[in-house]
mmCIF file of all heavy atoms in Angstrom:
data_model
loop_
_atom_site.group_PDB
_atom_site.id
_atom_site.type_symbol
_atom_site.label_atom_id
_atom_site.label_comp_id
_atom_site.label_asym_id
_atom_site.label_seq_id
_atom_site.Cartn_x
_atom_site.Cartn_y
_atom_site.Cartn_z
ATOM 1 N N THR A 1397 15.170 -0.750 -2.316
ATOM 2 C CA THR A 1397 15.889 -1.422 -3.396
ATOM 3 C C THR A 1397 17.257 -1.750 -3.002
ATOM 4 O O THR A 1397 18.031 -0.777 -2.595
ATOM 5 C CB THR A 1397 15.825 -0.517 -4.609
ATOM 6 O OG1 THR A 1397 16.447 0.706 -4.353
ATOM 7 C CG2 THR A 1397 14.493 -0.274 -5.152
ATOM 8 N N SER A 1398 17.778 -3.030 -3.072
ATOM 9 C CA SER A 1398 19.073 -3.273 -2.611
ATOM 10 C C SER A 1398 19.989 -2.819 -3.858
ATOM 11 O O SER A 1398 21.184 -2.534 -3.585
ATOM 12 C CB SER A 1398 19.275 -4.738 -2.414
ATOM 13 O OG SER A 1398 18.743 -5.501 -3.543
ATOM 14 N N ASN A 1399 19.625 -2.954 -4.965
ATOM 15 C CA ASN A 1399 20.322 -2.572 -6.274
ATOM 16 C C ASN A 1399 19.403 -1.474 -7.003
ATOM 17 O O ASN A 1399 18.246 -1.603 -6.885
ATOM 18 C CB ASN A 1399 20.629 -3.695 -7.127
ATOM 19 C CG ASN A 1399 21.505 -4.647 -6.389
ATOM 20 O OD1 ASN A 1399 22.582 -4.227 -5.966
ATOM 21 N ND2 ASN A 1399 21.139 -5.864 -6.398
ATOM 22 N N PRO A 1400 19.980 -0.543 -7.724
ATOM 23 C CA PRO A 1400 19.300 0.343 -8.508
ATOM 24 C C PRO A 1400 18.318 -0.322 -9.434
ATOM 25 O O PRO A 1400 18.659 -1.364 -10.072
ATOM 26 C CB PRO A 1400 20.307 1.210 -9.276
ATOM 27 C CG PRO A 1400 21.599 1.016 -8.585
ATOM 28 C CD PRO A 1400 21.522 -0.389 -7.941
ATOM 29 N N ILE A 1401 17.136 0.190 -9.649
ATOM 30 C CA ILE A 1401 16.139 -0.376 -10.687
ATOM 31 C C ILE A 1401 16.235 0.544 -11.877
ATOM 32 O O ILE A 1401 16.502 1.750 -11.799
ATOM 33 C CB ILE A 1401 14.749 -0.422 -10.085
ATOM 34 C CG1 ILE A 1401 14.202 0.974 -9.668
ATOM 35 C CG2 ILE A 1401 14.646 -1.372 -8.877
ATOM 36 C CD1 ILE A 1401 12.815 1.072 -9.220
ATOM 37 N N MET A 1402 16.015 -0.151 -13.073
ATOM 38 C CA MET A 1402 16.161 0.672 -14.365
ATOM 39 C C MET A 1402 14.745 1.022 -14.795
ATOM 40 O O MET A 1402 13.759 0.249 -14.713
ATOM 41 C CB MET A 1402 16.733 -0.236 -15.409
ATOM 42 C CG MET A 1402 18.095 -0.764 -15.010
ATOM 43 S SD MET A 1402 19.317 0.492 -14.857
ATOM 44 C CE MET A 1402 19.591 0.991 -16.502
ATOM 45 N N MET A 1403 14.478 2.251 -15.089
ATOM 46 C CA MET A 1403 13.297 2.829 -15.493
ATOM 47 C C MET A 1403 13.465 3.627 -16.691
ATOM 48 O O MET A 1403 14.400 4.341 -16.857
ATOM 49 C CB MET A 1403 12.390 3.479 -14.441
ATOM 50 C CG MET A 1403 13.108 4.708 -13.902
ATOM 51 S SD MET A 1403 11.961 5.536 -12.688
ATOM 52 C CE MET A 1403 10.625 6.155 -13.792
ATOM 53 N N ARG A 1404 12.457 3.625 -17.667
ATOM 54 C CA ARG A 1404 12.496 4.498 -18.903
ATOM 55 C C ARG A 1404 11.728 5.809 -18.579
ATOM 56 O O ARG A 1404 10.562 5.749 -18.191
ATOM 57 C CB ARG A 1404 11.860 3.795 -20.041
ATOM 58 C CG ARG A 1404 12.024 4.381 -21.408
ATOM 59 C CD ARG A 1404 11.333 3.661 -22.509
ATOM 60 N NE ARG A 1404 11.942 2.315 -22.609
ATOM 61 C CZ ARG A 1404 13.060 2.132 -23.348
ATOM 62 N NH1 ARG A 1404 13.660 3.047 -23.977
ATOM 63 N NH2 ARG A 1404 13.487 0.825 -23.506
ATOM 64 N N ASP A 1405 12.427 6.893 -18.891
ATOM 65 C CA ASP A 1405 11.850 8.279 -18.687
ATOM 66 C C ASP A 1405 11.795 8.886 -19.992
ATOM 67 O O ASP A 1405 12.762 8.982 -20.736
ATOM 68 C CB ASP A 1405 12.636 9.058 -17.600
ATOM 69 C CG ASP A 1405 12.030 10.325 -17.321
ATOM 70 O OD1 ASP A 1405 11.069 10.300 -16.487
ATOM 71 O OD2 ASP A 1405 12.581 11.358 -17.753
ATOM 72 N N GLN A 1406 10.693 9.712 -20.216
ATOM 73 C CA GLN A 1406 10.552 10.393 -21.501
ATOM 74 C C GLN A 1406 11.438 11.564 -21.672
ATOM 75 O O GLN A 1406 11.817 11.943 -22.764
ATOM 76 C CB GLN A 1406 9.073 10.843 -21.605
ATOM 77 C CG GLN A 1406 8.604 11.800 -20.447
ATOM 78 C CD GLN A 1406 7.128 12.224 -20.602
ATOM 79 O OE1 GLN A 1406 6.458 11.643 -21.456
ATOM 80 N NE2 GLN A 1406 6.730 13.098 -19.764
ATOM 81 N N ASP A 1407 11.936 12.121 -20.497
ATOM 82 C CA ASP A 1407 12.868 13.185 -20.548
ATOM 83 C C ASP A 1407 14.321 12.876 -20.505
ATOM 84 O O ASP A 1407 15.171 13.408 -21.216
ATOM 85 C CB ASP A 1407 12.511 14.190 -19.387
ATOM 86 C CG ASP A 1407 11.114 14.802 -19.452
ATOM 87 O OD1 ASP A 1407 10.795 15.158 -20.578
ATOM 88 O OD2 ASP A 1407 10.524 14.965 -18.364
ATOM 89 N N PHE A 1408 14.608 11.781 -19.763
ATOM 90 C CA PHE A 1408 16.101 11.462 -19.523
ATOM 91 C C PHE A 1408 16.477 10.117 -20.051
ATOM 92 O O PHE A 1408 17.641 9.819 -19.789
ATOM 93 C CB PHE A 1408 16.333 11.618 -17.954
ATOM 94 C CG PHE A 1408 16.098 12.935 -17.363
ATOM 95 C CD1 PHE A 1408 14.949 13.161 -16.550
ATOM 96 C CD2 PHE A 1408 16.753 14.060 -17.622
ATOM 97 C CE1 PHE A 1408 14.698 14.307 -15.906
ATOM 98 C CE2 PHE A 1408 16.498 15.306 -17.064
ATOM 99 C CZ PHE A 1408 15.499 15.450 -16.350
ATOM 100 N N GLY A 1409 15.516 9.421 -20.687
ATOM 101 C CA GLY A 1409 15.948 8.139 -21.251
ATOM 102 C C GLY A 1409 15.972 7.040 -20.156
ATOM 103 O O GLY A 1409 15.129 7.010 -19.260
ATOM 104 N N ILE A 1410 16.834 6.104 -20.253
ATOM 105 C CA ILE A 1410 17.028 4.952 -19.286
ATOM 106 C C ILE A 1410 17.688 5.565 -17.978
ATOM 107 O O ILE A 1410 18.813 6.162 -18.049
ATOM 108 C CB ILE A 1410 17.722 3.854 -19.770
ATOM 109 C CG1 ILE A 1410 17.044 3.262 -21.050
ATOM 110 C CG2 ILE A 1410 17.820 2.757 -18.730
ATOM 111 C CD1 ILE A 1410 15.736 2.733 -20.751
ATOM 112 N N VAL A 1411 17.080 5.471 -16.875
ATOM 113 C CA VAL A 1411 17.628 6.049 -15.648
ATOM 114 C C VAL A 1411 17.630 4.936 -14.542
ATOM 115 O O VAL A 1411 16.710 4.111 -14.459
ATOM 116 C CB VAL A 1411 16.693 7.271 -15.091
ATOM 117 C CG1 VAL A 1411 17.267 7.809 -13.806
ATOM 118 C CG2 VAL A 1411 16.563 8.293 -16.185
ATOM 119 N N ARG A 1412 18.782 4.956 -13.714
ATOM 120 C CA ARG A 1412 18.862 4.158 -12.614
ATOM 121 C C ARG A 1412 18.287 4.806 -11.349
ATOM 122 O O ARG A 1412 18.710 5.931 -11.041
ATOM 123 C CB ARG A 1412 20.384 3.776 -12.387
ATOM 124 C CG ARG A 1412 20.986 3.008 -13.579
ATOM 125 C CD ARG A 1412 22.445 2.546 -13.133
ATOM 126 N NE ARG A 1412 23.178 3.631 -12.683
ATOM 127 C CZ ARG A 1412 23.978 4.480 -13.288
ATOM 128 N NH1 ARG A 1412 23.790 4.482 -14.643
ATOM 129 N NH2 ARG A 1412 24.626 5.420 -12.729
#
Side-chain angles (χ1 to χ4, degrees):
T1397 56
S1398 55
N1399 296 304
I1401 58 176
M1402 307 295 290
M1403 61 176 291
R1404 186 182 300 276
D1405 184 77
Q1406 60 183 4
D1407 295 321
F1408 303 108
I1410 302 296
V1411 182
R1412 301 185 309 276

